[in-house]
Amino acid sequence: MKLQRKNRLRATALGALAVSGALVLTACGSDDNSGTGGTDGGNTKAASNIKCDDAKGQLLAAGSSAQKNAMDLWVKNFQAACSGVEINYQPIGSGGGITKFNQGQVAFAGSDSALKDTEVADSKKICTGGQGINLPMVGGPVAIGYNLSGVDNLVLDAPTLAKIFDSKIKKWDDPAIAKLNPGVKLPSTTIQAFHRSDESGTTQNLGKYLSKAAPAEWKHDPKSKSWLAAGGQAASGSSGVAAGVKGTDGAIGYFELSYATASKLNAVKIDTGASAPVEANSENASKAIAAAKVKGTGKDLALELDYATKAEGAYPIVLVTYEIACDKGNKAETLPAVKAFLNYAISDEGQKILSDAGYAPIPAEIAAKVREVVPTLS
């Protein structure tokens, strides 16, 4: 049975990658590069104000799988307006994206955590005369998705989540879970906790939340993009974790909200200490992200999030995905396309489509700063 499940997960993950590849590699639209002629099945309005400028050729990017669904939307609309550009975004995880960026293999990378000092130092070898900078483009809740027969409303808090993911709570009818869910008939099903097998900023964001909100229960390094806790089952990418949870009764895992929505999985409500448990949705994530502070300097816009927030209605397990690009020293052949695409992604139109996909638009004050930086990339 384990072999069958492993093969099924592998097939699901490969299928998801195939669909992703088909989406990002299909260049569609008219020959009108003004940004007003793209039709693309009724999405003319979404693409109507996209400025292509001198963008052309193929643009390679890689990184965060959490932003894959947002990237698919942006790529579809951008290519509809700018038929001379082909964008290939590979959702290989934040760690893989940063590695490819610092090896000069991609024009920009997506990461759910800001560059570390050592990664900035490495980027200077690629960004001639400059360095890699963090540009926040996508926000959203990290959903704690679960699959438990007979239970469609579940509340957990940080200490209980920490014990579940660290294999210290092993049954769904554990007293700690029951205490948070009075009146809910919890089965004695064994908990199957899924985590990422690849280096992931989503893993890091969950670790930062547990470390801040449940320091006594979560002793692992919150800066690590690799999963450090004991036990559990590993799967590649957010799509792999979601597929594992969907295919296993008693399973729980973490992934960006759109994967829970697409897989029709229930998401845990988080007891933060506020007056009521908080649901994972775009509005509640936006409340948490709006309180973020810019900790980067110069053109770098890395943010500091408050993972231990107890503000009413603020969902605490959030991530911000950064597009990482060179402030100076970009390749001349890809620079126009990078600037045009990122300009669209952070525009009002580019951000507006995120909510419907389960993401949280970047707060207006921070988005305004990004819009100032992108045109200065050189």
Side-chain angles (χ1 to χ4, degrees), residues 1-11 233:
M1 292 297 292
K2 289 184 178 179
L3 180 58
Q4 289 178 344
R5 183 163 71 238
K6 185 178 290 184
N7 289 337
R8 184 168 68 251
L9 292 180
R10 186 181 293 115
Q233 300 188 51

Side-chain angles (χ1 to χ4, degrees), residues 37-347:
T39 56
D40 192 46
N43 278 329
T44 305
K45 185 176 181 180
S48 61
N49 293 323
I50 295 175
K51 296 181 179 179
C52 304
D53 296 326
D54 297 320
K56 60 183 178 180
Q58 186 180 55
L59 193 62
L60 300 179
S64 164
S65 65
Q67 73 165 357
K68 172 198 169 293
N69 295 327
M71 191 63 68
D72 285 347
L73 291 170
W74 286 338
V75 167
K76 181 180 179 182
N77 288 342
F78 188 81
Q79 289 184 164
C82 307
S83 60
V85 183
E86 180 183 308
I87 301 175
N88 181 352
Y89 180 79
Q90 300 173 331
I92 60 174
S94 300
I98 292 172
T99 296
K100 280 184 173 289
F101 177 77
N102 280 341
Q103 291 176 346
Q105 297 180 30
V106 294
F108 69 89
S111 176
D112 305 326
S113 59
L115 291 169
K116 296 184 288 189
D117 291 343
T118 54
E119 292 168 339
V120 172
D122 288 342
S123 74
K124 293 179 180 180
K125 302 171 186 176
I126 299 300
C127 305
T128 306
Q131 66 180 46
I133 56 173
N134 303 283
L135 300 173
M137 292 280 180
V138 182
V142 177
I144 306 299
Y146 68 97
N147 177 4
L148 186 59
S149 297
V151 179
D152 57 9
N153 189 6
L154 185 68
V155 176
L156 296 173
D157 60 11
T160 307
L161 273 173
K163 292 177 182 178
I164 287 173
F165 280 116
D166 211 11
S167 300
K168 292 176 181 175
I169 291 179
K170 300 182 179 181
K171 296 285 186 178
W172 278 109
D173 60 353
D174 187 276
I177 301 176
K179 184 178 180 181
L180 292 164
N181 295 275
V184 176
K185 188 176 181 180
L186 295 166
S188 60
T189 308
T190 298
I191 296 173
Q192 304 286 347
F194 281 81
H195 59 265
R196 292 281 290 270
S197 61
D198 51 323
E199 284 198 345
S200 164
T202 310
T203 294
Q204 187 185 60
N205 279 277
L206 175 64
K208 286 180 177 179
Y209 161 70
L210 294 175
S211 181
K212 290 288 186 180
E217 292 79 12
W218 193 257
K219 300 294 187 180
H220 307 291
D221 181 4
K223 296 181 180 180
S224 176
K225 293 188 180 76
S226 299
W227 187 256
L228 301 178
Q233 300 188 51
S236 179
S238 294
S239 59
V241 174
V245 174
K246 185 175 179 64
T248 309
D249 186 36
I252 188 170
Y254 59 95
F255 29 77
E256 191 278 322
L257 181 62
S258 67
Y259 289 92
T261 303
S263 299
K264 297 181 179 179
L265 289 168
N266 292 315
V268 170
K269 293 179 181 177
I270 303 298
D271 183 345
T272 63
S275 63
V278 186
E279 182 180 347
N281 61 38
S282 297
E283 180 181 356
N284 292 343
S286 291
K287 292 177 182 177
I289 296 172
K293 298 178 181 179
V294 175
K295 66 176 182 179
T297 58
K299 295 182 179 181
D300 185 89
L301 298 175
L303 302 177
E304 183 174 354
L305 299 167
D306 181 9
Y307 295 95
T309 180
K310 295 182 180 180
E312 294 295 329
Y315 184 79
I317 319 176
V318 294
L319 60 76
V320 170
T321 300
Y322 302 93
E323 310 312 332
I324 294 169
C326 295
D327 58 353
K328 298 178 182 178
N330 289 277
K331 294 179 181 178
E333 61 269 26
T334 58
L335 179 59
V338 168
K339 293 171 68 173
F341 180 71
L342 296 184
N343 270 323
Y344 164 60
I346 198 59
S347 70

